Every structure is written in C-alpha cells, then in structure tokens.
Amino acid sequence: MTNFTERAAARENPYLLLTPGPLTTSSGVREAMLRDWCTWDRDYNQLVETIRNKLVRLATASFEDYTAVLMQGSGTFCVEAVLSSAVPSDGKLLVLTNGAYGDRMVQIARVHGIATEVIDFGELAPVSAAPVAAMLEKDPAITHVAVVHSETTTGMLNPIGGIGEVAERFGKTFIVDAMSSFGGIPMDVKELRIDYLISSANKCIQGVPGFGFVIAKTDELRKCKGQARTLSLDLYDQWETMEERNGKWRYTSPTHVVHAFHQALAELEEEGGIAKRHERYLRNQQILEDGMVRLGYRPLLPKAFQSPFITSFHYPDGGAFSFAAFYERLKQAGFVIYPGKISQADTFRIGNIGEVYPEDVERLLSAVEKSRF
Ligand SMILES: *Cc1c(COP(=O)(O)O)cnc(C)c1O
C-alpha cells in the first residue's frame, strides 16, 4: 500500500481530512465522477437498483423484509424525510438526545408541528433504556422513538440495542440516525429492531456528499403513503417511484455522486466488507487516542463510550492553547481537524474515517508533537 504522501501527490490533495465527512476519498471514487451521465436510461437506473440492493444487504441478513430509499441532499434531508413522512398527524415522537444531532431531530419535529417529547441525557452520558421505558409507560400517545447511534458531537457510540428492545416491547416505531456509523461497524437492523435507519453517502461508505439513504422495514414504509408534510422529502413517494420504475428518482438525481457511491461500495467489498473496515477504524482510533494521551491530550469520553469514528480531546491545560493556531499548523503539515461542538468543555475533534490508514494517524501524531505549545 502506498503511503498518504504518495497518494496525495497522485491526486493533488493538499491535506488529509480528519473530519466526520465529507472525508478523504480514494482516487477510484473520485475518478468515477469524471464523465457525465444521463438519468433516464436503463444503465443508470440499474446502477441505482444495484446500490439499493447492496445497501439492504449491508444492513441486514433478513433483507426480504427491508428496502432502501435514496434521497437527494445531505444527511439531514433524510432525517427530515423520515420524521416528516413516518409520524402521522395524530402520532407523537420521542427523541432521545445527547448532542447536536439529537437536538436537530427535535428541531425538525418542531418545524413540522409534530408532537414531541424529549429525553435529554446530557452531552457526556450515553442514552439508556430505563428512562425510555418509563416515558413510554407514562405517555401511551407516543408512537415513534428516535435516537442517534454515533453522536458525532462528542464521538459517543450510543448503545441502541436496549432502546430497540423497549420500543418493540411497547409496539413503537424505531428510528435511528446511523449517519456516521453505518458501514463502519457491523450491525443488523432486524436484530436491533430498527424500522428506519438513516445514513448518507459521505460517511463510512466513503463516497462524496450529495445524497442520503434510508433503510426501512417495508411494512412500516407502506404506512407512510399520503402522510408526508412536504413534497420533495416525501419518503413514500420517493420509494414508490424507485420501486415501480426500477431505480428512477423523482427529481434530478446527483448522477456523479451516485456513480462515485457505486465505486465506494465496490471498494468496501474489496476491503473485506464492514467487519474489516470496522477493524481499520478501530485501529486508527486506538493509535490516535493512545498517541494523543502520550502527548498529554485528554480525551473527553471514557473508552467505554468512545466510537471508532471521531474522538474529542480537551484543550491542553495551561490556558495558552489556541485552537486556531493549532489548526493552521496541522493544516500546513497536511491534516485538517475539526473544532469541538459541545457547551460543557473546550474541545477539538479528530476523525479517523475515510481513506485513512494507521500510518496516516502516526504521521498526524508526529505533526501534533511538532505543533506543541
Ligand atoms: C453528518 C451527520 C448528520 C447529517 O449531517 P449533514 O450535514 O446534513 O450531512 C446527521 N447526524 C449525524 C450523527 C451526523 O454525523
């Protein structure tokens, strides 16, 4: 395998993106975008069908009961499509939050006038099942439960298995924002009792931004006919068109991005599938966290809650740290990191997903050491 410097020179990328997406992609993924494609012909529609089929098979071994819908826009558009299409006008949503992406689901629900309850676990605690069971006991009007799997705000990997069990026990529809985890960690939507799983092209599948996707339990999705609150984000209509017209999108689709995504799926298979990609991400994260600790940086989360995708670190003690200066120095050295996003502490974040390998993380650590204050 070539090292990042050679790969970067080959594709003239000035730096490695150590961010939660858009992320550093392979040259193969980017080359897939180097020609123009029409949307109406059979080749393109078959490519879309191949992608939908592969996504369902990546999400579950019980693929007969699930289907995939692709939707134009960034990941948030898909979250909005699900919430505004799946919760009926007389339904009620329970959102579990411990960060900005959980809060965003609440915001979306409010914009659409969806009756909503919230359990806020705070930024530093994982979600847990007991308060959810208590809430569902107390408020039988709740019909849907929504949670973020990997909360990118902090790097927290929420234990969603227990939440799915409770949702199923009470007969509620279970919605999971798995934006920054799907493709990077083994999971099965059937085992996790997930009715709607949401993710996007530019996270762990390692495509480029431009569309998101929803893996839905087909029986649940069928219930959404005619209840969407918007036209363009109508999840049922989008699905019905794709299903009946064999891979046709309702409105202009991001053709280049779709081709890049098809290539990204092929490269995921070449890598050995999700289990192998997960191993690489785990190694990246471990090398990163251990190396940063050695250099005196403290991670925000205990290891037990830490995802293999992105890690938050406290600013070093002493008060002299300038994130802006640190960021600039690392960028000069060929690495783009990410600011913090939480209110309770001064932090920055370093992602390790994308076309990023352990030797790249080692090089980052040398650059961090040289950027010391
Ligand atoms: C990236 C991300 C999203 C979607 O963000 P967009 O900017 O709309 O793509 C949603 N939830 C989580 C947890 C994410 O990491």
Side-chain angles (χ1 to χ4, degrees):
M1 186 186 307
T2 52
N3 64 30
F4 173 73
T5 316
E6 288 163 35
R7 296 201 307 272
R11 59 170 188 255
E12 296 167 21
N13 250 354
Y15 42 67
L16 193 65
L17 293 173
L18 297 174
T19 57
L23 34 67
T24 298
T25 53
S26 72
S27 48
V29 164
R30 301 190 320 146
E31 275 157 19
M33 296 186 285
L34 290 179
R35 55 160 286 197
D36 303 313
W37 312 85
C38 52
T39 56
W40 45 261
D41 94 344
R42 234 186 42 186
D43 294 347
Y44 181 69
N45 292 345
Q46 273 171 0
L47 188 94
V48 173
E49 289 301 86
T50 303
I51 289 173
R52 293 179 62 216
N53 280 319
K54 284 188 179 185
L55 285 175
V56 174
R57 281 161 175 77
L58 286 174
T60 179
S62 316
F63 48 83
E64 320 79 28
D65 300 335
Y66 294 81
T67 186
V69 193
L70 315 184
M71 181 69 88
Q72 296 94 332
S74 82
T76 303
F77 291 59
C78 274
V79 177
E80 186 151 10
V82 170
L83 297 182
S84 64
S85 302
V87 186
S89 55
D90 58 353
K92 188 171 186 183
L93 176 69
L94 169 61
V95 178
L96 317 182
T97 182
N98 54 0
Y101 293 98
D103 293 349
R104 189 177 294 174
M105 292 205 278
V106 177
Q107 198 184 354
I108 290 169
R110 300 235 155 102
V111 165
H112 291 284
I114 295 169
T116 304
E117 285 291 340
V118 181
I119 305 179
D120 190 338
F121 291 83
E123 286 164 336
L124 299 179
V127 304
S128 60
V132 178
M135 175 72 87
L136 294 178
E137 192 81 60
K138 195 180 79 183
D139 188 349
I142 292 167
T143 51
H144 292 64
V145 177
V147 68
V148 175
H149 186 206
S150 168
E151 185 40 273
T152 314
T153 312
T154 50
M156 175 92 67
L157 189 64
N158 276 316
I160 56 171
I163 311 295
E165 275 172 33
V166 170
E168 185 182 55
R169 175 147 54 88
F170 284 84
K172 312 301 179 186
T173 302
F174 188 35
I175 299 167
V176 176
D177 168 350
M179 205 72 66
S180 65
S181 56
F182 182 74
I185 189 166
M187 59 168 119
D188 188 301
V189 287
K190 177 118 183 182
E191 282 168 21
L192 292 167
R193 285 105 158 155
I194 298 172
D195 296 298
Y196 296 94
L197 176 144
I198 307 154
S199 190
S200 78
N202 61 284
K203 303 250 169 147
C204 296
I205 306 282
Q206 301 187 176
V208 300
F211 73 93
F213 54 88
V214 178
I215 315 286
K217 194 170 192 182
T218 312
D219 287 347
E220 279 296 315
L221 184 55
R222 286 211 177 91
K223 296 181 194 162
C224 300
K225 187 179 172 75
Q227 70 185 17
R229 292 162 177 81
T230 73
L231 173 69
S232 55
L233 296 177
D234 186 330
L235 191 70
Y236 179 89
D237 267 4
Q238 182 89 344
W239 172 70
E240 188 182 53
T241 301
M242 281 190 176
E243 197 69 8
E244 289 182 356
R245 299 181 61 191
N246 303 314
K248 171 126 184 48
W249 299 53
R250 282 181 308 164
Y251 311 124
T252 301
S253 71
T255 45
H256 299 74
V257 177
V258 170
H259 274 272
F261 190 74
H262 182 258
Q263 175 63 24
L265 285 171
E267 292 180 14
L268 173 61
E269 282 164 29
E270 265 167 49
E271 185 169 357
I274 290 175
K276 285 289 178 213
R277 179 156 295 176
H278 179 230
E279 278 173 29
R280 171 164 63 89
Y281 288 171
L282 274 177
R283 267 172 60 223
N284 285 350
Q285 198 280 331
Q286 197 132 43
I287 294 168
L288 173 71
E289 183 164 341
D290 292 352
M292 290 295 282
V293 167
R294 211 163 49 237
L295 294 172
Y297 293 87
R298 254 185 327 121
L300 176 72
L301 298 179
K303 266 198 187 306
F305 304 162
Q306 176 62 53
S307 76
F309 312 118
I310 188 166
T311 312
S312 295
F313 295 97
H314 288 280
Y315 285 8
D317 297 331
F321 182 78
S322 154
F323 176 74
F326 184 61
Y327 176 91
E328 265 318 312
R329 272 187 243 183
L330 290 180
K331 190 170 165 188
Q332 290 305 319
F335 304 96
V336 167
I337 64 167
Y338 220 52
K341 200 174 184 168
I342 70 164
S343 47
Q344 295 170 20
D346 284 329
T347 57
F348 60 87
R349 291 175 289 171
I350 303 182
N352 56 256
I353 59 176
E355 191 72 354
V356 174
Y357 294 85
E359 55 272 28
D360 299 318
V361 181
E362 300 281 6
R363 287 186 317 103
L364 165 78
L365 292 168
S366 315
V368 169
E369 187 161 22
K370 289 188 196 116
S371 311
R372 238 194 153 105
F373 288 78

